[in-house]
Amino acid sequence: IGCDTQKVESEKVSGNSMFVKVESAESWYAVYHKETRVMYVVSKWSHNSGNFTVMVDENGNPLLWQGE
């Protein structure tokens, strides 16, 4: 994802969403929760669109957004 090294244009997922989108690809996008900064990857395929999966670090702890 490049949380520390890549400048990413953040955007709200929709309206007053509690999530901010930080990266997008063909079949997924990454978001973080505004209050906890915990990161999730969200699927975009038609058969499983919208499935959230928490992202973890090498120790299995939730990955926290380190960006702006």
Side-chain angles (χ1 to χ4, degrees):
I1 296 297
C3 302
D4 301 299
T5 59
Q6 183 180 30
K7 175 138 177 76
V8 179
E9 293 297 321
S10 299
E11 62 182 83
K12 290 181 182 175
V13 174
S14 65
N16 292 325
S17 178
M18 66 182 79
F19 295 101
V20 176
K21 185 188 295 186
V22 294
E23 188 168 337
S24 186
E26 181 181 347
S27 62
W28 58 270
Y29 58 94
V31 298
Y32 71 87
H33 185 272
K34 287 187 210 178
E35 291 183 26
T36 65
R37 301 185 76 77
V38 172
M39 295 186 70
Y40 301 86
V41 66
V42 184
S43 61
K44 292 194 313 188
W45 287 115
S46 60
H47 65 281
N48 69 349
S49 182
N51 290 333
F52 278 66
T53 302
V54 68
M55 298 175 73
V56 297
D57 65 16
E58 64 277 1
N59 299 311
N61 298 313
L63 190 62
L64 301 179
W65 175 248
Q66 301 295 319
E68 63 276 348

